[in-house]
Amino acid sequence: KAGVTQTPRYLIKTRGQQVTLSCSPISGHRSVSWYQQTPGQGLQFLFEYFSETQRNKGNFPGRFSGRQFSNSRSEMNVSTLELGDSALYLCASSLRGTLFVGEQFFGPGTRLTVL
Amino acid sequence: AQSVTQLDSQVPVFEEAPVELRCNYSSSVSVYLFWYVQYPNQGLQLLLKYLSGSTLVKGINGFEAEFNKSQTSFHLRKPSVHISDTAEYFCAVSRGSGGGADGLTFGKGTHLIIQP
């Protein structure tokens, strides 16, 4: 079974630009979560999508948004980029419902650098 | 809300020696507990998880962890480490609602350094 894939793997943007990151979950997984990883703040939960609906949201400004498509693929968008948005963005997928046991499978991440 | 404290940011250990990585959590509700490992330039890989039942949990690569509810701890152990175990280890909790993929709350991570 193929794992979680994220594209692109590396991205360089300048302040003020916007960026879109993509995540394809494991086949059959309907939940996708996004995390930001930085040296200073560590791993922080951004949001979670299930069946094209945002179910949970972390403490991030409205510049961070996402969506999920009918095939469970998800995109994350960051508008008006700031230097502090430089980070590794990780996507994780999981099953949901009666079989759900709280386990998330992570992709390799997208390394975003804002100049 | 939950929180996780990993008491050691860095743990150096000689090869073939035992190791324990400490994790304490705080939560007002029941939780699920996890340990993840991250190798350089890679995503996170699940080592083991505690959902319910036996408090001693065995995972991949010879790791195990013990859930201690009274001490709110979930320490990770390995009896004999190898050079390949050099990585960042993260303890995480999620709300044990059993009903959905709530976000994971992570500790700051422990860098395990294996010395030959």
Side-chain angles (χ1 to χ4, degrees), chain B:
Chain B
Q2 300 89 243
S3 67
V4 178
T5 302
Q6 290 184 244
L7 298 163
D8 306 297
S9 60
Q10 197 165 279
V11 173
V13 182
F14 286 108
E15 195 173 15
E16 298 184 9
V19 68
E20 178 180 83
L21 306 184
R22 297 180 292 170
C23 171
N24 287 89
Y25 70 92
S26 173
S27 176
S28 58
V29 298
S30 64
V31 295
Y32 296 146
L33 294 156
F34 308 84
W35 274 99
Y36 283 87
V37 61
Q38 186 176 34
Y39 299 103
N41 299 315
Q42 295 187 29
L44 276 69
Q45 179 183 9
L46 181 69
L47 278 176
L48 47 78
K49 60 189 175 188
Y50 173 79
L51 306 179
S52 64
S54 173
T55 57
L56 183 61
V57 179
K58 293 191 183 297
I60 63 171
N61 301 340
F63 285 94
E64 65 180 32
E66 185 155 20
F67 170 57
N68 188 318
K69 189 174 182 179
S70 63
Q71 297 186 6
T72 60
S73 68
F74 190 55
H75 300 333
L76 180 70
R77 302 185 186 101
K78 186 170 182 178
S80 176
V81 296
H82 301 116
I83 288 287
S84 59
D85 292 324
T86 296
E88 193 82 16
Y89 291 80
F90 294 93
C91 181
V93 302
S94 73
R95 185 158 49 101
S97 64
D102 295 318
L104 288 165
T105 300
F106 286 90
K108 293 290 189 184
T110 297
H111 188 196
L112 178 60
I113 302 168
I114 310 301
Q115 301 168 326

Side-chain angles (χ1 to χ4, degrees), chain A residues 31-92:
Chain A
S31 171
V32 173
S33 297
W34 289 89
Y35 294 84
Q36 181 196 64
Q37 185 178 22
T38 60
Q41 298 299 316
L43 280 152
Q44 294 184 288
F45 172 69
L46 280 155
F47 31 65
E48 183 234 344
Y49 285 86
F50 177 75
S51 291
E52 304 176 61
T53 302
Q54 187 180 93
R55 293 298 180 94
N56 294 289
K57 190 176 190 304
N59 189 25
F60 277 81
R63 300 186 296 105
F64 291 82
S65 64
R67 59 177 175 168
Q68 186 180 35
F69 302 94
S70 57
N71 61 358
S72 294
R73 189 177 70 84
S74 176
E75 287 182 349
M76 190 192 95
N77 184 276
V78 187
S79 62
T80 319
L81 284 166
E82 300 176 0
L83 295 178
D85 297 333
S86 294
L88 181 66
Y89 290 88
L90 293 165
C91 165

